[in-house]
Amino acid sequence: MKENGVMYQAFYWDYPEDRLYKELAEKAGDLAALGISGVWMPPAAKGTSPQDVGYGSYDYWDLGEFDQKGTIRTRYGTREELEKAIQALHDQGLQVYADMVFNHKNGADESEVFQAVMVDQNDRSKDVSEAYDIEGWTKFTFPGRKGKYSDFTWHYYHFNGIDFDQKTGTKAIYRILGEGKYWNEGTDLEKGNFDYLMAADIDHDHPDVVEELTRVADFMVNKMGYDGFRYDALKHISSHFIDVLSAHILEEKPDFYFVGEYWKNNEGVMGHYLNETAYNVDLFDVPLHFNFAQAASDPSYDIRKIFDGSLVQDKPLAAVTFVDNHDSQLGQSLESWVGDWFKEIAYALILFRKDGYPCVFAGDLLGIPDVDYPGMGDRLSTMLKLRQQAAYGDQDDYMVTPTKMAWVRRGTEDHPNPLAVLISTGDMDQERLFVGQEEAGRVYKDWSGKNEEITIDEEGFGTFTVAPGSVTYWTREDLDLDGGRTQE
């Protein structure tokens, strides 16, 4: 992974239709200039309609090539446009990560009748009915694709559960029955067994399913040229399946990258999952995200505890840090939006510190028109460029008061510019920070644009200031953020 790499989540929920792939191809150079090293793209597979954001997951093999579900393109474009986007990003030296939705399938072509039991929605290990015949939408034949790439047909026995009985019109959670068949193990223990999330829940213990999903994964790696996977909904998928699939890919592609969404505010559970998957799959630092959200909403929050219980504090090499994403954004099912006043602080905490692989959200870089959120593009662009130029070397932490913390990155031989960061979640404040005796007499600029320049004293200290509820970030005033370095 590139030193000081940054992942970019290239989409937000309800990203405008038929634009993303073309825009990524056009803007690949701009992303590289910001220091982006890996681009997380949305699910590429055909969903249930032209408007499906990708998590509907109808046909893994249709990436915008076949006339299915009322469209040839997906929400984001055609397969040809996808391939051009991947190539353009690769030409700029960026990795591309595919969002793999292996938990469920939607939009079946035909219904089937099979035996099932209704389960308690709050404890799926408890049956609340006898076994009986239901009719579920579980047969996927993909008539528009006509067997190209794969002739695999999905049937009810390839799934563990369904949420609708067509025969009676009943909405409930049903566990599909069969010899030796039950919910998959290695899922989250919430709700007794959290295998079932939505739609037709895939049975990862079925050997035919494992073979088909492995073929899909190989196609995405070898034919489409992806450099990594973002696994969706890991709480609901057999950890054994993910472990075996990841190991299979790494045998041929040892540098292939995996990151997973395990949406749980519990670092201990996430640490267990890392063990179960042999530390081959990094995880998004969900506990840190919730710390950000709490700090933004609680005036009494002690900023010195912002990393308590986080993955990046305990397992820094396995943590992908983020502020918000498509699920946490306003109006979504997992809404836990980090308050706007705290956004810049949160990004400073993931971009300017030494630990974690930070992920920048397109909604913050570009804005989200549907919810009237303008984003913070100019500030975030500056922060990303500053990360590439000055966020290197040892880190000295100053955990000062419940409303004030600071740190200094001391720089390296190749990147000699120290970086001082000061946060106040309370009133206007200041702190005397040591940046190095060799910096004596140098002029430091607040690259957040909030303060006048200062001069480092003869002992190598500077007195840095910060406005109420804000962050400032300082380094040499003659730094060239567009690629140059301070002249010695």
Side-chain angles (χ1 to χ4, degrees):
M1 189 181 298
K2 178 183 176 183
E3 185 179 20
N4 271 19
V6 177
M7 187 188 305
Y8 175 56
Q9 180 182 356
F11 62 101
Y12 47 82
W13 205 267
D14 288 334
Y15 199 93
E17 291 181 46
D18 200 21
R19 278 177 38 183
L20 181 62
Y21 296 158
K22 288 175 281 194
E23 289 177 350
L24 283 175
E26 294 169 358
K27 297 178 180 178
D30 295 337
L31 292 174
L34 290 177
I36 301 299
S37 57
V39 176
W40 160 20
M41 297 181 74
K46 181 67 60 68
T48 58
S49 74
Q51 293 76 40
D52 194 310
V53 298
Y55 296 98
S57 188
Y58 167 65
D59 186 358
Y60 293 122
W61 298 98
D62 183 358
L63 308 184
E65 183 178 357
F66 304 98
D67 189 358
Q68 300 190 110
K69 297 300 179 183
T71 178
I72 293 177
R73 67 164 174 85
T74 67
R75 182 183 187 94
Y76 306 105
T78 64
R79 175 174 169 177
E80 181 181 5
E81 290 166 342
L82 170 60
E83 291 175 326
K84 288 180 179 178
I86 292 172
Q87 186 60 56
L89 293 166
H90 281 165
D91 287 346
Q92 293 294 329
L94 280 66
Q95 293 189 324
V96 185
Y97 308 144
D99 198 324
M100 303 304 290
V101 186
F102 281 153
N103 176 72
H104 56 270
K105 292 182 70 65
N106 286 62
D109 300 297
E110 301 175 33
S111 63
E112 299 175 296
V113 176
F114 47 86
Q115 286 256 300
V117 293
M118 191 184 298
V119 301
D120 187 329
Q121 295 203 27
N122 295 313
D123 186 349
R124 282 78 181 277
S125 65
K126 293 181 179 179
D127 298 344
V128 295
S129 79
E130 299 295 326
Y132 64 99
D133 284 347
I134 71 169
E135 182 181 357
W137 289 92
T138 52
K139 187 174 181 180
F140 292 78
T141 60
F142 316 111
R145 181 160 53 81
K146 297 181 174 62
K148 186 174 181 180
Y149 305 123
S150 171
D151 60 2
F152 187 78
T153 298
W154 293 75
H155 292 279
Y156 71 89
Y157 43 82
H158 296 127
F159 302 100
N160 279 336
I162 197 82
D163 60 0
F164 182 68
D165 176 11
Q166 177 72 23
K167 183 181 294 187
T168 63
T170 304
K171 293 182 179 180
I173 298 177
Y174 297 92
R175 180 169 58 83
I176 298 173
L177 301 180
E179 184 178 354
K181 193 178 190 65
Y182 196 71
W183 299 125
N184 291 152
E185 296 181 355
T187 61
D188 195 79
L189 297 179
E190 186 180 344
K191 299 184 184 296
N193 179 309
F194 218 168
D195 185 0
Y196 189 84
L197 173 64
M198 61 183 293
D201 183 73
I202 294 174
D203 181 359
H204 296 95
D205 285 338
H206 196 295
D208 293 344
V209 168
V210 172
E211 288 183 13
E212 175 69 356
L213 295 184
T214 301
R215 286 192 292 266
V216 169
D218 287 341
F219 173 79
M220 298 295 273
V221 175
N222 299 316
K223 182 65 176 178
M224 297 304 296
Y226 285 100
D227 308 287
F229 285 170
R230 180 263 186 189
Y231 288 128
D232 184 56
L234 286 182
K235 281 170 61 173
H236 315 282
I237 299 175
S238 160
S239 59
H240 176 71
F241 166 77
I242 294 294
D243 182 41
V244 171
L245 179 64
S246 303
H248 162 77
I249 294 171
L250 289 170
E251 285 182 8
E252 295 295 325
K253 302 279 186 178
D255 294 327
F256 201 80
Y257 180 72
F258 299 99
V259 60
E261 177 219 19
Y262 200 107
W263 197 262
K264 187 90 170 181
N265 189 9
N266 187 316
E267 185 279 325
V269 170
M270 300 177 82
H272 174 74
Y273 191 88
L274 292 170
N275 281 319
E276 291 294 297
T277 52
Y279 280 81
N280 287 328
V281 182
D282 289 353
L283 294 176
F284 287 99
D285 197 343
V286 174
L288 180 62
H289 159 75
F290 278 105
N291 286 357
F292 290 159
Q294 183 181 355
S297 62
D298 181 0
S300 66
Y301 190 88
D302 188 338
I303 192 64
R304 298 171 297 181
K305 298 180 178 180
I306 195 72
F307 292 106
D308 286 4
S310 69
L311 190 63
V312 73
Q313 179 170 269
D314 193 52
K315 305 277 194 308
L317 297 180
V320 174
T321 53
F322 70 104
V323 179
D324 271 307
N325 67 19
H326 63 296
D327 283 322
S328 71
Q329 76 178 60
L330 297 168
Q332 296 310 308
S333 59
L334 299 176
E335 179 181 328
S336 48
W337 190 248
V338 175
D340 292 354
W341 77 271
F342 196 79
K343 285 275 190 178
E344 187 178 8
I345 295 173
Y347 271 109
L349 288 162
I350 70 171
L351 290 175
F352 294 151
R353 294 179 66 82
K354 66 179 180 179
D355 291 329
Y357 181 16
C359 181
V360 170
F361 178 39
D364 290 323
L365 188 64
L366 307 176
I368 308 175
D370 287 351
V371 295
D372 197 27
Y373 171 58
M376 47 179 292
D378 290 343
R379 283 176 293 161
L380 200 45
S381 295
T382 296
M383 297 173 85
L384 285 164
K385 292 179 180 179
L386 192 59
R387 172 180 170 84
Q388 299 311 304
Q389 295 296 325
Y392 294 88
D394 293 339
Q395 179 175 292
D396 299 332
D397 285 329
Y398 297 74
M399 301 299 184
V400 191
T401 72
T403 60
K404 182 170 61 171
M405 69 175 289
W407 66 92
V408 175
R409 300 294 301 277
R410 299 291 297 280
T412 62
E413 183 176 351
D414 291 335
H415 300 276
N417 306 281
L419 176 65
V421 183
L422 178 60
I423 293 169
S424 172
T425 57
D427 298 331
M428 181 180 292
D429 218 322
Q430 64 180 31
E431 190 68 23
R432 189 167 181 258
L433 306 176
F434 180 70
V435 295
Q437 196 160 7
E438 67 279 3
E439 297 298 294
R442 288 192 180 273
V443 176
Y444 269 47
K445 172 182 175 178
D446 173 14
W447 290 84
S448 76
K450 304 182 185 81
N451 293 278
E452 298 295 325
E453 297 171 344
I454 65 168
T455 300
I456 304 303
D457 68 23
E458 60 185 15
E459 296 179 324
F461 287 84
T463 299
F464 301 94
T465 56
V466 62
S470 187
V471 58
T472 53
Y473 26 96
W474 308 69
T475 190
R476 299 173 183 176
E477 55 85 23
D478 54 352
L479 182 71
D480 178 7
L481 283 193
D482 291 319
R485 52 176 283 186
T486 304
Q487 297 298 313
E488 296 298 314

